[in-house]
């Protein structure tokens, strides 16, 4: 997915992004891959802003105020679902969700939204204009059958977990 983010950044003509990521192995590894992918496209991460797992709104606000002072207005958000929506809530309260700002979210966002179904209008209003990447698997009869058996909680991670268990078995 980081290569897809780099492709979007390159296609749009942006040369710098600010990475907002969870300060854990998941976040650091993802941002490292993004940095390499952007370098191949002659772009770069101009600033890396780490959020501690489970961060409170006040620390997210401090972080967003500091990144808002930077030159780039293109943000790539690669966090855990527990604090991810808080990033956008705080950004909206700071006026950072309007014109002149670009927000790109990795697969944590669509996966979170899948688990919330149905998604409320407040959440959708909050995420207006955010571009998110998700894993894609071709729609097949086997996938439809599996979805039918799983009433709740079916998302791309569940599909990969199911596939991994079958592979191990």
């Amino acid at each position: 997915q980081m290569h897809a983010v780099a492709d979007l950044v390159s296609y749009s003509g942006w040369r710098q992004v600010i990475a907002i990521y969870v300060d854990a192995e998941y976040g650091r590894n993802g941002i490292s891959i993004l940095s390499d992918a952007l370098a191949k496209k002659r772009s770069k991460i101009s600033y890396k802003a780490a959020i501690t797992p489970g961060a409170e709104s006040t620390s997210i606000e401090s972080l967003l105020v500091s990144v808002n002072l930077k030159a780039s207005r293109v943000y790539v958000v690669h966090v855990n679902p527990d604090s991810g929506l808080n990033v956008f809530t705080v950004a909206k309260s700071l006026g950072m969700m309007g014109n002149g700002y670009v927000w790109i979210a990795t697969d944590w966002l669509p996966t979170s939204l899948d688990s919330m179904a149905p998604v409320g209008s407040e959440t959708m209003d909050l995420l207006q204009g955010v571009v998110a990447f998700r894993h894609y698997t071709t729609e097949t009869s086997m996938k439809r059958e599996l979805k039918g058996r799983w009433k709740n909680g079916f998302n791309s991670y569940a599909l990969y977990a199911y596939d991994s268990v079958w592979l191990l078995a």
Side-chain angles (χ1 to χ4, degrees), residues 56-77:
E56 300 287 327
S57 294
T58 54
S59 64
I60 293 173
E61 182 174 354
S62 297
L63 182 129
L64 290 181
V65 166
S66 70
V67 299
N68 199 25
L69 299 174
K70 307 296 179 193
S72 180
R73 294 287 186 261
V74 180
Y75 303 103
V76 176
V77 183

Side-chain angles (χ1 to χ4, degrees), residues 9-71:
V9 169
S10 175
Y11 178 80
S12 301
W14 301 313
R15 294 286 163 232
Q16 298 181 28
V17 302
I18 293 176
I20 300 171
Y21 65 99
V22 64
D23 194 11
E25 187 175 342
Y26 164 77
R28 289 187 297 268
N29 288 343
I31 295 307
S32 175
I33 294 167
L34 176 62
S35 182
D36 293 344
L38 286 170
K40 290 177 184 174
K41 302 287 185 178
R42 299 182 186 261
S43 296
K44 68 178 184 173
I45 297 174
S46 62
Y47 187 76
K48 296 177 184 176
I51 296 176
T52 57
E56 300 287 327
S57 294
T58 54
S59 64
I60 293 173
E61 182 174 354
S62 297
L63 182 129
L64 290 181
V65 166
S66 70
V67 299
N68 199 25
L69 299 174
K70 307 296 179 193

Side-chain angles (χ1 to χ4, degrees), residues 40-158:
K40 290 177 184 174
K41 302 287 185 178
R42 299 182 186 261
S43 296
K44 68 178 184 173
I45 297 174
S46 62
Y47 187 76
K48 296 177 184 176
I51 296 176
T52 57
E56 300 287 327
S57 294
T58 54
S59 64
I60 293 173
E61 182 174 354
S62 297
L63 182 129
L64 290 181
V65 166
S66 70
V67 299
N68 199 25
L69 299 174
K70 307 296 179 193
S72 180
R73 294 287 186 261
V74 180
Y75 303 103
V76 176
V77 183
H78 184 62
V79 297
N80 291 333
D82 64 344
S83 58
L85 289 178
N86 287 344
V87 170
F88 295 116
T89 301
V90 173
K92 188 168 188 160
S93 73
L94 294 173
M96 295 173 65
M97 296 295 290
N99 288 338
Y101 294 90
V102 175
W103 291 90
I104 302 169
T106 56
D107 66 343
W108 66 269
L109 180 58
T111 301
S112 295
L113 295 176
D114 287 348
S115 66
M116 291 179 176
V119 179
S121 61
E122 286 181 20
T123 302
M124 292 309 292
D125 288 344
L126 175 66
L127 298 173
Q128 189 68 34
V130 176
V131 175
F133 285 82
R134 73 171 349 152
H135 296 279
Y136 175 76
T137 54
T138 306
E139 194 66 35
T140 64
S141 59
M142 290 177 68
K143 182 178 172 185
R144 282 190 293 277
E145 180 184 324
L146 182 62
K147 278 171 137 177
R149 285 190 274 157
W150 286 31
K151 300 296 181 216
N152 296 319
F154 187 85
N155 56 42
S156 60
Y157 291 125

